Amino acid sequence: MTSLFKFSSQCGKSRSLLALYILHTLKQRQKSGYDILREIEEMTGGEWIPSKGTLYPLLHQLESEGLIAAALTGSRARTGFALTPEGREFLEKIITMSGESHKKMAHLRHLVLAIFGTGTCPVKGLLFEIKMLVDDMPPGNERRVGAILEHCRDKLKKM
C-alpha cells in the first residue's frame, strides 16, 4: 500500500510531505525549527501546524541522514538548519518525478471532493478537472491547449 502523503525518488526512498517541505524551504535559506513551524502556519492559514514532537525528530532524522546540517544562529544561539548538497540532490530527484506527486495529490483531491463536494462553487471542481487534463496531455499539444486557456482567461476577464 502506498501513502498519498509519501513521495519517492528514483532510488525508491520515500519521504513525507513535511520532510519534503523542510528540504524545500531550507533550499531558500537556513532556518530554525521555529521558523519552519511559523512558515507552515502562515502558508496554511493556521489550519495545520505540525507539533514540535513531529518536527524536531524529523529534523534530527534528516540531519542524521546527511540531508540537512545543524548550525547555531543568531544572538540567542538557536539551532538553525541548512540544506546539504546531498539534500539538494535528493530534493531535485523528487522534483523531477513531480508527475507522480501531482497524481497523488489529485487522488487526494478526488477523495476530498467525494466527501465534501464542491459546495457553493462547482467551478473549483471544474478547474481541478481541467488541470488534470492538462497534466495528462500528450506532448505536442501545448500550443493548442495554451490558446484555448488564453481564450477562456480573456473571456473571464470581460465578465
Side-chain angles (χ1 to χ4, degrees):
M1 179 193 303
T2 61
S3 170
L4 287 175
F5 294 106
K6 293 278 187 188
F7 302 88
S8 299
S9 69
Q10 293 165 331
C11 65
K13 179 74 173 170
S14 291
R15 293 289 173 193
S16 68
L17 184 61
L18 179 57
L20 291 182
Y21 184 76
I22 290 168
L23 297 176
H24 163 76
T25 196
L26 293 179
K27 182 178 174 184
Q28 299 164 15
R29 69 175 176 83
Q30 182 173 311
K31 297 177 184 178
S32 69
Y34 178 81
D35 295 333
I36 294 168
L37 287 174
R38 296 292 64 91
E39 190 174 292
I40 292 171
E41 178 180 22
E42 184 178 316
M43 288 187 71
T44 64
E47 292 295 320
W48 179 64
I49 308 165
S51 70
K52 292 176 186 176
T54 298
L55 179 67
Y56 285 98
L58 182 54
L59 287 168
H60 294 299
Q61 177 188 346
L62 293 171
E63 181 183 15
S64 72
E65 293 175 14
L67 299 176
I68 64 174
L72 294 180
T73 61
S75 60
R76 295 177 51 199
R78 291 191 304 181
T79 300
F81 296 91
L83 192 63
T84 64
E86 293 83 3
R88 185 175 302 277
E89 182 181 335
F90 181 83
L91 182 61
E92 292 304 319
K93 286 179 182 176
I94 293 281
I95 290 170
T96 59
M97 296 180 63
S98 65
E100 176 188 328
S101 300
H102 285 278
K103 285 181 182 175
K104 282 187 174 199
M105 296 312 291
H107 291 301
L108 177 61
R109 171 84 176 178
H110 286 301
L111 288 174
V112 171
L113 287 176
I115 295 167
F116 300 107
T118 56
T120 59
C121 191
V123 173
K124 290 180 181 178
L126 179 60
L127 287 171
F128 177 71
E129 287 182 49
I130 290 170
K131 185 199 178 314
M132 293 305 302
L133 288 170
V134 169
D135 286 346
D136 292 338
M137 195 69 51
N141 290 315
E142 292 86 359
R143 278 183 99 184
R144 277 185 62 207
V145 170
I148 292 168
L149 292 175
E150 286 172 1
H151 176 75
C152 291
R153 180 200 60 210
D154 295 342
K155 288 232 180 225
L156 288 170
K157 282 182 177 180
K158 292 178 182 177
M159 292 179 73

